[in-house]
Amino acid sequence: MSAVPIDEVAPRHLIKLTPGVPADSRYDELAAIFRPVFARIAEGAAERDAGRILPIEQVGWLNQVRFGALRVPRAAGGYGASLVDSFRLLIELGEADSQIAQLLRSHIGFVESVLLLEDESVKARWFARFATGQIVGNAYTERSGNDLGKLNTVVEPTGTGWLLTGQKYYCTGTIFADWVAVTASAPGVPGRHIAVVSTRHSAVRIHDDWDGFGQQLTGTGSTTFERVPVDTLLDPAVLEVHPESAIFQLVLLAVQAGIARAVLADARTHTQLRTRAFSTGTGVASRREPQVLQVIGEISATTFAVDAIVLAATAELEEAIGQPGLSAAEQYAICELAANRAQSAVQPLVLQAATALFDGLGASSTSTRCNLDRHWRNARTVATHNPAMYKSRIVGDYEVNATAPRKLSAVGDLRTTEGEQ
């Protein structure tokens, strides 16, 4: 029996793009559960993006295997995953479809908030919901008309509970969710509350009207609420100890890491299949062309670096959240600074990789049939969230002046005073 020529043997990818693996990780065990679903999701990702087809069925697949219960304790029916392992899985999901990974952002943040609640009855109620595959959407931002630091969406007390009224935009994930977490103000109580209501209520109107050029399938549209009964209300005192904004930012960075992996996968596949060559090259197939291989190698290095940065920041958060003796302000500062540093480093790397993809593949890769531009569009869209330029300044102010990061209570309009333009 003759030996198979080495050129005909499919290459084995021995490099594991998951640096910094903890010794007690359950990652491989958990990945075995979810990878078959990720593979099914990846199959139609490019086509869904091109046709603007909401991934309702695909989100349902994830809910069936209870991906949203990763962090729920095993005793409460969840998987009991560490924060690092859950984010490693989120990166894998982001590689399969970055839009599905992002639409889970609010759910992931809300689960972390529930884990830190002191009210055991509220925790048990939500754990039970997560364990059956229910997920939570987002309605934090008001499109216009609210002053910076204030909210026009309100909760009002009744004899039997609270009612929520208002209008929101950037409601990522809500169109797919069972519940939606809504930021609101309460009469006579300063600060931001989070009211959780059912998306199935007749007085909740969800619109798929997001018109961004990327991440179009995340359900990031508008939602209106008209005296909707509140299931759970978290007040400002409870929220003070939650590293919510850092978790939210790390989810976006995990999405970016997933996009970088998808860029590498597409660069690899298209290079292996490419038969055309340039007369200005060395006269060999693209898969043997030294300069093309250099481009692919640089994308691979970028992907590795992005993974390492995101997971290191996630580990920093996990350590800070579980560390006794830290005040709420200290915990918040540690988490924010870790997320801010990671954000400043990751975003330009991913955008660079999404652009370099075309250097290695040539003009044919710009065909709309390939839809490879979705990687750049999606990465660029994610990078506009919580602009990194502000985060770099915050980190610099801490490094030079020991100025702690400030909490962001809302996005809104600036009102000029007399004499200002």
Side-chain angles (χ1 to χ4, degrees):
M1 184 175 182
S2 59
V4 178
I6 192 169
D7 283 356
E8 295 181 16
V9 177
R12 294 175 61 204
H13 292 288
L14 303 178
I15 300 175
K16 210 168 185 180
L17 292 176
T18 49
V21 180
D24 61 348
S25 171
R26 293 177 53 228
Y27 179 65
D28 289 335
E29 170 195 339
L30 294 167
I33 298 170
F34 299 108
R35 277 186 183 148
V37 181
F38 296 164
R40 292 175 67 196
I41 287 171
E43 288 175 359
E47 292 74 18
R48 287 193 300 273
D49 180 275
R52 207 183 190 287
I53 303 168
L54 290 177
I56 294 173
E57 182 180 17
Q58 290 71 27
V59 173
W61 298 342
L62 286 174
N63 293 344
Q64 287 172 10
V65 291
R66 304 180 306 117
F67 185 78
L70 270 171
R71 292 277 288 149
V72 175
R74 284 191 269 189
Y79 291 101
S82 69
L83 191 65
V84 169
D85 278 352
S86 65
F87 268 73
R88 292 175 71 194
L89 290 166
L90 184 64
I91 291 172
E92 284 204 36
L93 175 58
E95 179 183 358
D97 190 328
S98 66
Q99 319 210 44
I100 294 177
Q102 185 184 346
L103 69 83
L104 292 171
R105 183 188 185 204
S106 182
H107 177 82
I108 292 167
F110 187 74
V111 170
E112 293 303 314
S113 295
V114 171
L115 284 166
L116 294 174
L117 291 178
E118 295 182 358
D119 190 324
E120 294 298 329
S121 63
V122 175
K123 288 173 71 170
R125 183 167 79 245
W126 281 104
F127 285 163
R129 290 168 175 171
F130 300 150
T132 62
Q134 296 183 36
I135 59 173
V136 180
N138 164 71
Y140 276 22
T141 304
E142 295 173 4
R143 195 166 195 173
S144 62
N146 66 300
D147 292 347
L148 181 62
K150 297 182 180 179
L151 294 165
N152 293 330
T153 302
V154 298
V155 288
E156 56 181 299
T158 69
T160 57
W162 298 83
L163 296 176
L164 173 75
T165 300
Q167 300 180 14
K168 295 289 187 175
Y169 194 59
Y170 299 115
C171 299
T172 302
T174 297
I175 201 168
F176 308 95
D178 306 280
W179 305 89
V180 54
V182 188
T183 55
S185 60
V189 184
R192 183 190 64 158
H193 296 66
I194 292 182
V196 189
V197 303
S198 171
T199 58
R200 313 301 183 214
H201 195 277
S202 60
V204 177
R205 297 280 188 271
I206 305 170
H207 307 279
D208 181 28
D209 53 1
W210 166 238
D211 61 355
F213 60 64
Q215 297 295 90
Q216 295 179 339
L217 311 183
T218 57
T220 305
S222 57
T223 307
T224 61
F225 308 90
E226 186 63 42
R227 294 177 61 80
V228 182
V230 174
D231 176 89
T232 303
L233 185 66
L234 305 181
D235 64 39
V238 172
L239 297 172
E240 190 67 26
V241 299
H242 295 171
E244 175 190 54
S245 60
I247 292 289
F248 275 17
Q249 190 55 54
L250 282 180
V251 170
L252 294 180
L253 295 181
V255 172
Q256 293 274 35
I259 292 173
R261 287 192 183 193
V263 167
L264 175 59
D266 276 341
R268 181 194 305 121
T269 299
H270 283 264
T271 299
Q272 289 170 339
L273 297 174
R274 186 173 172 81
T275 58
R276 292 171 61 83
F278 293 94
S279 61
T280 48
T282 60
V284 298
S286 288
R287 64 181 300 162
R288 303 296 181 194
E289 176 64 63
Q291 287 175 293
V292 172
L293 295 178
Q294 178 181 343
V295 171
I296 305 303
E298 290 170 349
I299 293 174
S300 178
T302 296
T303 302
F304 184 88
V306 168
D307 267 18
I309 292 168
V310 174
L311 294 176
T314 304
E316 184 85 358
L317 257 72
E318 188 155 33
E319 176 70 19
I321 293 171
Q323 186 173 337
L326 288 177
S327 68
E330 289 170 333
Q331 185 182 87
Y332 177 81
I334 292 171
C335 294
E336 280 295 296
L337 289 167
N340 289 353
R341 288 168 175 143
Q343 182 182 2
S344 298
V346 162
Q347 289 181 348
L349 290 175
V350 178
L351 291 170
Q352 175 185 330
T355 299
L357 169 71
F358 298 98
D359 294 333
L361 300 181
S364 60
S365 63
T366 66
S367 169
T368 56
R369 288 183 293 106
C370 299
N371 196 22
L372 293 176
D373 63 303
R374 76 185 187 279
H375 298 311
W376 184 90
R377 289 186 290 101
N378 290 338
R380 180 65 267 179
T381 300
V382 173
T384 61
H385 292 64
N386 310 321
M389 64 179 180
Y390 298 139
K391 303 308 178 77
S392 298
R393 173 188 56 77
I394 291 168
V395 172
D397 200 9
Y398 171 80
E399 294 288 358
V400 175
N401 302 309
T403 304
R406 290 191 306 166
K407 276 187 175 288
L408 175 65
S409 59
V411 176
D413 299 332
L414 287 175
R415 301 299 182 190
T416 57
T417 58
E418 186 176 354
E420 291 182 328
Q421 299 295 323

